[in-house]
Amino acid sequence: MNVKRRKWMFVSFLLLTALLFTACGGDAEPAAGDEAAIEGDGDALRIAIVTSPSGVDDGSFNQDNYNGILAFMENHSNATVNAIQETTGDVAAAVQAVADVVADYDVIVTPGFQFADISSIAEDNPEKMFILVDANPTPQGEQELFDNIYAMTFAEEESGFFAGVAAALETETGKVAVVNGIAFPSNVNYQWGFESGVMYANQHFGTDAEVVELPSYAGTDVTNTNVGGNYVGNFADPATGKVVGDALVDEGVDIMFVAAGGSGMGVFTAAMEAEGVYVIGCDVDQFDDGAYSDGNVVLTSVLKNMSINVERQLNAIMEGTFQGSNELLRADTDSTGFVLENDRHQLSEETMEKLEEVYELVQAGTIVPAANFNGHSPDNFPGL
């Protein structure tokens, strides 16, 4: 996506920085043991990652962002990172957590739609760099682009689409579902992409799968619109995740696509306790999370490749090429996809062939799955 870029004028500040310290304040608390530094030669860069309550060890969204920072640090030995957990899950508290620590870091990575309002903090702190994941910054007046914010959003509907196609092809009961955390745009994108994939498989591959929704767990998006689906209401509530998972299993669902952060672990547990029930992981390869005494419940995982994009922007900061921008990342930059390694999924060879077929169509823009705000619906989208 071509977006007008603005040159960053503050590289010299970062290159002169040689202090190595970390701090946190307010309601944000650093997770124990989450501060990492590699001793040796290299440029010093003080990095903070401020996350939702599920933290950087959620096995999914936050952790993938954190891994991008750690990958950067492997080649920049004096860099430091502090992982800060916002403890309430509230949007205002998330932004306040950033405001509380902004003075102490050179770069702040903020994974999640709840951090969109950091644009006001960025304006007040032009010498600081921000990497915003899963949201564009909230406009300040007529200003939508900020010199010191690189905002990356992803076409989650594409990865959700791959999950829907796989679920429709592999289900034995003919009933599948998607479980989400909160109805932020990224989560609704996953939901509608999944529903689009099921619809596509039914129409083009001869499947007859039904997407099951529990009305009591329907989501309400940021425009206060009921989007249906199955929403836990939190990204750090595995107990409720298990309740939702159990309820779907009781409805006959045998494949659940899980896009719920730490809450998703409860859905994994529900699958492990059932017979013949599988989950599809989200954001990262979650195959290891599905292992238990009787086997593995992860059918496959669909990917949103955040780590490599976080690492790229940190490298750009050190190289002096960082540019504030709002970028939408798709399959054509390898930013969405699904697990390919044979020992990391349990899909049939036929399903993999069909996924590769539709991947090329998505990459080319022939298939454009429905998303929260792209004007399409799961039963009416380009390529269906």
Side-chain angles (χ1 to χ4, degrees):
M1 180 180 185
N2 293 321
V3 178
K4 181 180 179 182
R5 296 175 179 268
R6 300 184 179 184
K7 282 289 185 180
W8 171 51
M9 301 298 292
F10 312 103
V11 175
S12 58
F13 173 87
L14 296 181
L15 295 180
L16 290 172
T17 303
L19 296 175
L20 301 176
F21 64 91
T22 57
C24 65
D27 292 332
E29 298 178 357
D34 276 339
E35 184 175 13
I38 301 174
E39 297 297 331
D41 296 332
D43 294 314
L45 194 67
R46 298 168 301 164
I47 307 165
I49 178 170
V50 184
T51 73
S52 65
S54 56
V56 296
D57 57 355
D58 64 354
S60 185
F61 177 73
N62 291 332
Q63 187 166 339
D64 195 45
N65 283 274
Y66 188 58
N67 286 342
I69 300 172
L70 297 182
F72 166 80
M73 292 173 62
E74 289 179 3
N75 297 311
H76 297 84
S77 56
N78 278 344
T80 61
V81 62
N82 192 27
I84 299 167
Q85 251 173 279
E86 192 286 303
T87 59
T88 70
D90 178 73
V91 171
V95 177
Q96 185 60 49
V98 177
D100 288 342
V101 302
V102 66
D104 300 321
Y105 299 95
D106 304 313
V107 185
I108 299 182
V109 180
T110 52
F113 178 81
Q114 67 270 32
F115 292 102
D117 286 347
I118 62 166
S119 52
S120 60
I121 302 173
E123 274 200 320
D124 292 339
N125 297 272
E127 76 282 6
K128 308 293 184 176
M129 298 297 108
F130 299 83
I131 299 173
L132 174 60
V133 184
D134 257 8
N136 287 331
T138 302
Q140 298 295 312
E142 295 184 357
Q143 184 178 358
E144 296 181 355
L145 298 177
F146 299 83
D147 291 339
N148 56 341
I149 301 177
Y150 179 90
M152 65 180 87
T153 55
F154 293 78
E156 294 93 357
E157 65 274 13
E158 294 179 351
S159 296
F161 179 83
F162 304 136
V165 170
L169 289 167
E170 294 285 340
T171 180
E172 296 291 335
T173 65
K175 293 184 177 182
V176 299
V178 55
V179 181
N180 295 93
I182 301 173
F184 293 149
S186 56
N187 256 222
V188 180
N189 289 350
Y190 273 131
Q191 176 198 339
W192 287 6
F194 179 82
E195 294 171 4
S196 298
V198 173
M199 184 69 70
Y200 185 93
N202 286 347
Q203 187 158 318
H204 293 270
F205 297 145
T207 59
D208 188 25
E210 172 192 355
V211 178
V212 176
E213 297 183 343
L214 304 170
S216 57
Y217 289 99
T220 301
D221 74 3
V222 294
T223 67
N224 208 34
T225 299
N226 185 325
V227 294
N230 305 292
Y231 284 85
V232 176
N234 198 300
F235 290 110
D237 185 1
T240 302
K242 186 175 186 301
V243 170
V244 175
D246 286 338
L248 289 168
V249 170
D250 289 344
E251 292 290 324
V253 171
D254 66 343
I255 298 177
M256 294 177 284
F257 172 40
V258 186
S263 299
M265 293 300 98
V267 185
F268 278 48
T269 301
M272 292 174 186
E273 293 179 356
E275 184 176 347
V277 176
Y278 293 88
V279 299
I280 296 177
C282 182
D283 289 339
V284 299
D285 180 355
Q286 292 192 270
F287 195 74
D288 292 338
D289 294 325
Y292 70 120
S293 59
D294 292 332
N296 196 306
V297 295
V298 172
L299 189 62
T300 188
S301 301
V302 296
L303 307 175
K304 181 164 70 173
N305 295 319
M306 298 164 290
S307 59
I308 189 171
N309 286 294
V310 169
E311 182 184 2
R312 286 169 179 166
Q313 294 311 309
L314 291 171
N315 282 327
I317 289 172
M318 293 308 303
E319 294 164 2
T321 59
F322 182 91
Q323 295 176 312
S325 181
N326 298 341
E327 297 287 347
L328 175 60
L329 304 173
R330 298 183 176 276
D332 59 359
T333 60
D334 298 321
S335 294
T336 64
F338 51 90
V339 169
L340 297 173
E341 294 79 3
N342 288 331
D343 61 345
R344 306 295 294 179
H345 70 80
Q346 302 182 76
L347 298 175
S348 69
E349 184 176 341
E350 180 183 5
T351 295
M352 285 299 292
E353 289 175 355
K354 286 182 167 55
L355 281 176
E356 290 168 4
E357 173 187 327
V358 299
Y359 181 83
E360 292 182 0
L361 295 173
V362 170
Q363 195 174 42
T366 303
I367 295 175
V368 182
N372 200 181
F373 300 117
N374 71 355
H376 306 310
S377 62
D379 59 358
N380 185 17
F381 58 90
L384 178 59

